[in-house]
Amino acid sequence: MNFADRLKQLPSASHLAALHLLGTDGQVLATIENKPGQGGSLVVYAALGALYGGRITPAAASLGLEWYAEHVADARAFPGKHPNIDRLLAWAQGSESFGVQVVLV
């Protein structure tokens, strides 16, 4: 399934202003905002957080990569072009889990 079709199946994130991704120490590592260019990533990360108890585990990261579908090959070919996918690629290979903190509208 391609990314656009997957997004249609995931819960809406229209009630979110942003998501903060938290390191193991609770510090904000990254923020994904509800704005053009980040909306799809907001939906993916919010759904992963909901499925995995507010955490992005290595298993959650792997599932997220499946959801990003055709964009993963482009992210691998051009590191830095898709930072939200790059993050999942790294996290899927690790053993740590990262928190997801929602920021409501």
Side-chain angles (χ1 to χ4, degrees), residues 22-98:
L22 309 175
T24 55
D25 60 358
Q27 295 297 311
V28 175
L29 298 174
T31 299
I32 302 172
E33 297 179 88
N34 192 351
K35 65 180 188 180
Q38 292 189 18
S41 289
L42 184 71
V43 168
V44 167
Y45 276 80
L48 291 172
L51 282 173
Y52 287 85
R55 309 291 298 166
I56 304 292
T57 64
S62 293
L63 179 59
L65 293 171
E66 288 179 36
W67 291 351
Y68 273 110
E70 70 276 9
H71 297 292
V72 175
D74 192 52
R76 284 189 169 123
F78 302 99
K81 182 177 177 184
H82 303 281
N84 293 318
I85 298 173
D86 294 342
R87 185 178 302 112
L88 292 181
L89 286 166
W91 290 358
Q93 300 301 313
S95 59
E96 297 177 322
S97 66
F98 301 87

Side-chain angles (χ1 to χ4, degrees), residues 6-19 34 39-48 50 67 102-105:
R6 175 62 67 189
L7 287 180
K8 293 175 189 172
Q9 293 187 331
L10 296 174
S12 170
S14 62
H15 63 292
L16 299 177
L19 285 177
N34 192 351
S41 289
L42 184 71
V43 168
V44 167
Y45 276 80
L48 291 172
W67 291 351
V102 298
V103 179
L104 300 175
V105 172

